[in-house]
Amino acid sequence: MNNDCLGKSDLKSSRLIYGCMRIAGDQSSSDIDKGKQAVYSAIDVGYTHFDHADIYGGGGSEQLFGQLLQQSPHLRDNMVITSKASIRPKNDENAHAPTRYDFSKEYLLSSVEGSLGRLKIEQLDLFLLHRPDYLFDIHEVAETFTQLKVSGKVAHFGVSNFKPSQVAMLQSVLDLPLLVNQVEINIHNIDALNDGTLDQCQQHKISPIAWCPLGGVAYPAWGNTFSAADEQRIAIELSEQAQRYNCQPWQVILAWLLKHPAGIFPIVGSTNPERIIAAKHSLNLDYSREDWYRLLEARNGQTVP
Ligand SMILES: NC(=O)c1ccc[n+]([C@@H]2O[C@H](COP(=O)([O-])OP(=O)(O)OC[C@H]3O[C@@H](n4cnc5c(N)ncnc54)[C@H](OP(=O)(O)O)[C@@H]3O)[C@@H](O)[C@H]2O)c1
């Protein structure tokens, strides 16, 4: 699979990242086996970058991945492991704690320890702040990142779901470059195209990573606002394009993301080996500017002005 450097670093990642959010399923032994097969399929077909978060499967996704690495330690070679922290579920400390975001030093350090323990590794290649904490103290985060870097527990840093102003604010007090901004980008949610996120990525060589790339096509996107008519119009356009490119409609969506010059890395979250493997085909489509705009037009229900 194509490999590209993340941000300004020389850390190489497969252009398609494998997302581990769903790999532990309902934690039953059959879902765990399915999740392991999914990860093995991803490794076999050339994904080298695996996306985690402390909260995926309540820690179960990292745990499953750690078991797999323990069984086959050589898999860690040439692999990029990302994890994220900041979302704290309600009642995690006491019965009255609400769901909240937490960028405090104490919490982030303990979360990284937890991820390393579950993944059974010594260092995260990339650590991301999962969602911006409203009570975000940039100086405290900078200190935390420095401590994690000096201790060797994290090699590189990035953010997720940050607005361009928040990226700029944090970067202004950091000596280390933020390598990525992981945001939702799919046919339903195109905020990153309009709110300056992809502009900032391109200008400052920050790699945009797209979560839920198939939202709005394979399943309803978060906060779905598509009407039945919208869905039908998009499905017709996708089906015509899929015929033209001799591929499946959902592979067209990945090509649509890959076309953007900011260099989007889509995260594939399927646990179906056939789909994990087939996603790779999107990298070979010679997707045209005209089709890119046709799909945007189908999404918007109108031509661009
Ligand atoms: N930073 C953040 O805030 C954030 C938020 C959410 C997710 N993420 C990351 O992004 C990754 C990807 O997200 P995602 O899992 O939502 O990605 P996705 O690849 O957009 O969606 C995967 C889901 O779509 C289904 N699917 C895929 N192709 C399909 C098809 N052709 N027909 C029907 N269903 C299909 C999959 O089912 P099957 O398994 O049956 O194929 C799976 O349930 C996650 O694993 C996680 O690492 C990050």
Side-chain angles (χ1 to χ4, degrees):
M1 196 181 300
N2 317 27
N3 281 284
D4 288 304
C5 289
L6 291 170
K8 287 179 180 149
S9 75
D10 54 7
L11 183 65
K12 288 220 161 138
S13 161
S14 50
R15 191 64 189 277
L16 298 179
I17 297 172
Y18 184 68
C20 297
M21 181 172 76
R22 303 172 192 271
I23 59 173
D26 64 8
Q27 318 264 352
S28 62
S29 62
S30 61
D31 273 13
I32 299 278
D33 285 346
K34 187 178 171 200
K36 285 187 178 165
Q37 279 316 311
V39 174
Y40 281 128
S41 305
I43 292 170
D44 285 348
V45 77
Y47 293 73
T48 62
H49 186 165
F50 294 82
D51 185 71
H52 287 273
D54 53 356
I55 56 166
Y56 291 164
S61 296
E62 289 182 332
Q63 214 159 13
L64 182 161
F65 205 87
Q67 285 167 10
L68 206 142
L69 288 179
Q70 205 170 32
Q71 281 160 15
S72 315
H74 67 280
L75 294 178
R76 180 72 178 104
D77 303 340
N78 305 316
M79 180 183 269
V80 175
I81 299 182
T82 289
S83 195
K84 309 187 269 303
S86 84
I87 305 175
R88 297 186 69 169
K90 68 178 175 186
N91 304 337
D92 69 335
E93 240 174 17
N94 61 56
H96 306 295
T99 301
R100 59 215 186 277
Y101 305 138
D102 193 343
F103 282 4
S104 67
K105 187 176 191 178
E106 187 190 8
Y107 182 68
L108 293 180
L109 292 180
S110 75
S111 175
V112 168
E113 284 299 338
S115 290
L116 292 175
R118 287 186 292 276
L119 289 162
K120 299 192 169 37
I121 56 175
E122 301 294 318
Q123 183 182 60
L124 289 175
D125 300 301
L126 186 55
F127 174 62
L128 312 186
L129 299 171
H130 202 158
R131 281 188 180 272
D133 179 1
Y134 291 100
L135 306 176
F136 173 12
D137 176 339
I138 49 174
H139 301 288
E140 187 178 5
V141 170
E143 248 182 66
T144 308
F145 279 10
T146 304
Q147 191 167 326
L148 287 167
K149 177 82 181 173
V150 170
S151 65
K153 296 191 174 179
V154 173
H156 301 279
F157 299 87
V159 294
S160 175
N161 301 305
F162 268 42
K163 294 293 171 217
S165 59
Q166 294 167 323
V167 174
M169 178 171 77
L170 179 56
Q171 189 62 78
S172 74
V173 295
L174 283 180
D175 295 329
L176 307 156
L178 293 169
L179 298 193
V180 308
N181 190 4
Q182 184 182 125
V183 293
E184 183 183 16
I185 322 177
N186 52 46
I187 196 66
H188 179 265
N189 185 343
I190 58 167
D191 289 355
L193 290 163
N194 294 317
D195 69 4
T197 297
L198 292 180
D199 304 341
Q200 181 184 51
C201 284
Q202 200 169 172
Q203 182 180 4
H204 295 287
K205 212 168 182 318
I206 296 169
S207 296
I209 296 181
W211 59 261
C212 295
L214 302 180
V217 171
Y219 56 96
W222 286 40
N224 180 38
T225 54
F226 281 157
S227 65
D230 293 333
E231 282 172 5
Q232 198 186 10
R233 207 175 47 245
I234 294 165
I236 290 170
E237 182 58 38
L238 275 177
S239 154
E240 283 176 13
Q241 293 197 15
Q243 273 189 14
R244 220 167 20 255
Y245 288 95
N246 193 21
C247 68
Q248 300 185 44
W250 61 271
Q251 292 168 324
V252 171
I253 293 288
L254 295 180
W256 191 78
L257 295 172
L258 291 163
K259 177 82 178 166
H260 195 281
I264 296 172
F265 289 72
I267 318 183
V268 172
S270 173
T271 50
N272 174 325
E274 271 180 35
R275 289 183 188 140
I276 295 168
I277 295 165
K280 204 177 149 180
H281 184 54
S282 61
L283 296 164
N284 303 326
L285 303 183
D286 188 14
Y287 195 61
S288 75
R289 175 181 291 266
E290 288 67 30
D291 284 327
W292 197 95
Y293 272 93
R294 271 188 201 104
L295 193 49
L296 183 72
E297 186 175 309
R299 178 215 176 267
N300 292 343
Q302 56 187 26
T303 58
V304 288

